[in-house]
Amino acid sequence: MLYTNIIRNTYYDSLTLMRLSSNLSSLKGVKQAAVMMGTKLNKEFLKDANLISDEVLQASPSDVCICIEVEDNSFVKSVSETIDDFFNNMHSQKDVIRRPRSISKAMDNMPDANLAVISVPGIYAAEEAKKALRAGLNVFLFSDNVSLDDELMLKQEAEKNDLICMGPDCGTGIINGVALGFANKVHRGNIGIVGASGTGIQEITVLIHGLGEGISHAIGTGGRDLKKPVNAISALTALKSLKDDEKTKVIVFVSKPPDKEIEEKVLMELSKCGKPVIVLFLGSNPPNELPQNIHWAKNMEDVAKCAVALLKDEEIPPYSIEDGINKIEKSRIKDEIEKLDKNQTFLRGLYSGGTLCDEAIFILAEMFSEIWSGHNVGSGVKELENPFASVGHSLIDMGEDIFTRGKPHPMIDYGTRISRMLDEAEDEEVAVILLDVVIGYGSHPNPKEILIPTIKKIRESGKQSNRYVSIVASVCGTDIDPQNLEEQTKALEQEGVLVFSSNAKAAYAAGLIANKAL
Amino acid sequence: MKFDETLNNDLKIIAAGIDSFAEDLTEQGVDVINVDWQPPASGNPELISLLQKLQNK
């Protein structure tokens, strides 16, 4: 039966509502639950999920719709108590001081504000960002679903006033040591990053931190900035600022391959910046001639190592993933291979970070003749017709829209990934499951709590069928992140997971295991 | 404040949207005001478009 509860004229952000939805979904007797604002798009989702009712159809975009399918009437009491507890708890945590209702009202209380962090739903985001820019604020725009025209308008408005609009769809930033959105807590230092890639910035910053150096600023631009219509407006503003920034001694530039014309423009600017630069256009080859100050990196681990070497004025060490895998790791890989049956040959990568997934795909594409991806990455990698069902060696970015419609991102909620892990482990041809575990601000507060019981289940089921599935992971995080890198790593290792210090190494090791060749 | 100047100053942030982002900033010791944001015109698209036209006049 369907249980519906509408809370009129009350707005809660999508993360808050998804948290309630997760709590409700885990209750006994609940088949499925969705909590969303009553927008047209959300109503379509609820209709598709068979959670629609007349009350929901009549709800307005400013009403919260709580839609739950329960087994029978007897479970309604616990559902309604959970809803009450959730909102009571939220209200008791809220400030007693009245919060301003708009950015301009907030400016009255903080006239020297210099940055707006905007994460309202996409349809309202451009308008709020425009107001912030016109009030003289730089903008970190996390919201997605902003039109290309609006993105261009916002970035031109920012450029005109010597401001920056990071985003739309900007997941990560570190400005003056402050982590914005999904970002890790890292040492401050002298390496500056410009990136059109959220988890790309996260992986590079944590690897630099792990090598004992730090970040001056990491400036996200949003994924479309290096596309022709936007013309790299934010990337060029960020570059100019890092060029003039005294703290920044080395510059890193990371993104998916830009449009050719934009690539030339960016490389030209980088060549004139007067500082050593490392460029990573993931999956793309360097041009025939590179300016002298630019080093072309192979992957994110290579970026971090180069940046640190250049900062220390040392010669750039030759890089190969293979050389980075130490003796103990090699022996553990060998042990894993020995535990596998003959017919276990496939690798399944289940990712929460898009750039991490792409990096793994490009590494594994050099090891296997055929790799399947859940999304289009080009470079001859085959795209799965149905991303919900793996074939051969498959790598899936579970943060893609098709997996997150009406659900929290897999960096926050492991539900979808866990259920996919269990399914993949049941496939008799699967040798190894490859994972990224992204910690830091914004991400799940304690991934090990969720992953360990799942791994135990896989191990238990393996014992019964006399089959072992290898699990390989990298944890993208630091020792000073709220979730703590060491705690997460140790817990996973105790359950037999092979944990590597970088995504590149984890992908390579998983490839060796599936290939049964060390 | 110009972006290059912002890089040399403490951040003073106005946040609108996801509450946990503002909470993370507060935890980092940043000066932040979290706007109690609500969809304009109760989320009614026609009214919003009308309001925008009026504001842009």
Side-chain angles (χ1 to χ4, degrees):
Chain A
M1 67 166 280
L2 199 60
Y3 169 87
T4 306
N5 187 344
I6 309 288
I7 306 173
R8 304 261 172 227
N9 290 318
T10 308
Y11 174 80
Y12 288 99
D13 70 71
S14 57
L15 279 190
T16 302
L17 296 181
M18 283 170 181
R19 220 164 43 224
L20 173 59
S21 171
S22 268
N23 291 358
L24 291 167
S25 300
S26 64
L27 290 179
K28 200 181 162 208
V30 170
K31 287 184 176 172
Q32 56 168 340
V35 187
M36 326 179 128
M37 300 304 296
T39 63
K40 201 175 154 200
L41 205 70
N42 288 342
K43 284 179 189 172
E44 276 170 28
F45 168 80
L46 293 167
K47 196 176 164 197
D48 291 347
N50 288 325
L51 285 169
I52 202 90
S53 64
D54 286 346
E55 280 170 284
V56 174
L57 284 170
Q58 281 158 22
S60 85
S62 60
D63 297 336
V64 176
C65 302
I66 304 173
C67 310
I68 306 158
E69 189 185 355
V70 283
E71 279 172 19
D72 60 58
N73 230 342
S74 64
F75 297 103
V76 169
K77 192 170 173 263
S78 67
V79 160
S80 115
E81 279 169 3
T82 303
I83 297 168
D84 288 347
D85 287 351
F86 184 86
F87 287 117
N88 288 340
N89 192 27
M90 272 204 66
H91 293 143
S92 68
Q93 284 175 6
K94 284 215 168 185
D95 299 343
V96 262
I97 304 163
R98 246 184 105 196
R99 287 159 52 187
R101 298 293 289 263
S102 68
I103 290 176
S104 64
K105 289 260 162 53
M107 286 290 285
D108 293 342
N109 297 344
M110 194 192 268
D112 53 350
N114 47 22
L115 177 70
V117 172
I118 296 174
S119 52
V120 300
I123 47 165
Y124 311 110
E127 196 55 32
E128 295 299 337
K130 189 167 79 181
K131 284 180 202 161
L133 289 166
R134 290 196 173 159
L137 298 174
N138 295 286
V139 169
F140 178 87
L141 184 52
F142 179 83
S143 316
D144 58 2
N145 294 319
V146 173
S147 74
L148 205 55
D149 285 347
D150 279 341
E151 175 166 355
L152 191 58
M153 173 274 289
L154 291 170
K155 288 184 170 176
Q156 285 171 340
E157 177 77 27
E159 189 184 28
K160 200 169 70 187
N161 298 298
D162 294 319
L163 300 167
I164 195 168
C165 182
M166 296 174 262
D169 204 8
C170 186
T172 304
I174 302 174
I175 304 291
N176 265 336
V178 176
L180 305 170
F182 288 76
N184 299 85
K185 200 169 179 178
V186 295
H187 293 315
R188 297 192 71 176
N190 302 105
I191 298 169
I193 301 175
V194 179
S197 138
T199 48
I201 293 181
Q202 286 194 263
E203 174 83 345
I204 292 168
T205 56
V206 304
L207 291 173
I208 289 171
H209 173 98
L211 291 167
E213 293 299 333
I215 303 301
S216 54
H217 310 282
I219 306 164
T221 64
R224 289 189 307 213
D225 196 66
L226 301 187
K227 298 285 173 203
K228 216 172 164 192
V230 188
N231 239 344
I233 295 176
S234 295
L236 295 176
T237 302
L239 274 181
K240 188 183 159 293
S241 304
L242 290 184
K243 176 187 159 202
D244 297 338
D245 179 48
E246 282 180 14
K247 292 188 288 289
T248 303
K249 309 287 185 205
V250 172
I251 296 175
V252 167
F253 197 102
V254 56
S255 98
K256 288 179 181 172
D259 288 343
K260 207 68 206 160
E261 204 177 298
I262 309 283
E263 179 179 314
E264 284 166 13
K265 195 173 175 178
V266 168
L267 289 176
M268 174 67 82
E269 285 305 311
L270 287 168
S271 72
K272 293 189 291 191
C273 77
K275 295 181 180 181
V277 175
I278 302 104
V279 170
L280 176 64
F281 292 146
L282 210 60
S284 152
N285 292 318
N288 292 335
E289 278 182 44
L290 264 181
Q292 222 181 356
N293 67 325
I294 299 179
H295 180 85
W296 197 272
K298 292 186 182 81
N299 60 42
M300 295 190 270
E301 186 177 55
D302 190 20
V303 168
K305 287 187 170 172
C306 285
V308 169
L310 288 169
L311 183 67
K312 291 179 174 171
D313 216 9
E314 291 171 355
E315 208 172 302
I316 293 175
Y319 177 81
S320 88
I321 308 178
E322 194 181 353
D323 293 348
I325 293 184
N326 64 36
K327 271 186 186 170
I328 301 168
E329 287 166 340
K330 275 184 187 160
S331 127
R332 292 186 64 194
I333 291 170
K334 203 171 151 232
D335 290 347
E336 292 293 296
I337 293 172
E338 280 168 8
K339 289 180 201 167
L340 298 172
D341 287 341
K342 244 190 204 168
N343 63 334
Q344 286 182 277
T345 51
F346 290 139
L347 178 154
R348 301 284 156 82
L350 305 176
Y351 274 84
S352 59
T355 306
L356 294 169
C357 185
D358 285 356
E359 181 182 58
I361 288 171
F362 292 128
I363 288 167
L364 290 161
E366 288 184 10
M367 301 173 81
F368 297 98
S369 56
E370 191 177 79
I371 293 282
W372 293 85
S373 163
H375 61 290
N376 180 19
V377 286
S379 308
V381 175
K382 293 189 172 179
E383 189 179 347
L384 288 168
E385 210 167 289
N386 175 11
F388 292 92
S390 301
V391 170
H393 304 298
S394 284
L395 286 102
I396 317 289
D397 170 13
M398 302 200 71
E400 285 277 319
D401 292 349
I402 191 165
F403 295 105
T404 56
R405 207 175 156 215
K407 288 179 183 152
H409 192 277
M411 267 154 53
I412 303 167
D413 185 328
Y414 278 65
T416 313
R417 206 149 59 126
I418 275 168
S419 121
R420 185 70 174 256
M421 274 172 80
L422 293 167
D423 287 349
E424 301 289 5
E426 287 299 310
D427 185 335
E428 288 180 0
E429 289 181 303
V430 168
V432 53
I433 294 174
L434 171 65
L435 300 171
D436 64 337
V437 180
V438 182
I439 57 173
Y441 291 108
S443 290
H444 190 282
N446 194 5
K448 67 176 162 59
E449 258 183 16
I450 310 290
L451 284 169
I452 300 302
T454 311
I455 296 162
K456 280 188 195 293
K457 255 189 208 171
I458 292 174
R459 299 280 181 247
E460 199 48 48
S461 154
K463 262 184 206 164
Q464 281 167 18
S465 53
N466 205 20
R467 203 169 53 87
Y468 177 84
V469 177
S470 180
I471 302 174
V472 175
S474 67
V475 181
C476 178
T478 71
D479 54 339
I480 51 175
D481 267 329
Q483 302 92 334
N484 192 286
L485 172 67
E486 207 183 346
E487 275 177 33
Q488 301 296 327
T489 304
K490 266 191 182 166
L492 292 171
E493 284 180 337
Q494 272 167 11
E495 293 305 320
V497 178
L498 252 65
V499 184
F500 288 86
S501 57
S502 72
N503 176 57
K505 272 190 208 159
Y508 183 74
L512 292 176
I513 293 169
N515 239 346
K516 299 196 179 84
L518 184 63
Chain B
M1 183 187 286
K2 288 179 179 176
F3 183 57
D4 46 9
E5 288 172 27
T6 304
L7 295 186
N8 289 310
N9 280 279
D10 285 341
L11 288 190
K12 294 208 152 210
I13 297 179
I14 292 173
I18 296 171
D19 284 342
S20 61
F21 284 171
E23 286 156 20
D24 285 344
L25 290 166
T26 306
E27 198 198 298
Q28 293 177 71
V30 181
D31 207 354
V32 56
I33 293 182
N34 187 16
V35 172
D36 184 12
W37 188 86
Q38 302 285 324
S42 298
N44 182 317
E46 286 83 23
L47 270 178
I48 292 169
S49 153
L50 201 66
L51 276 174
Q52 282 171 359
K53 276 182 194 153
L54 284 170
Q55 277 164 0
N56 290 335
K57 262 200 162 183

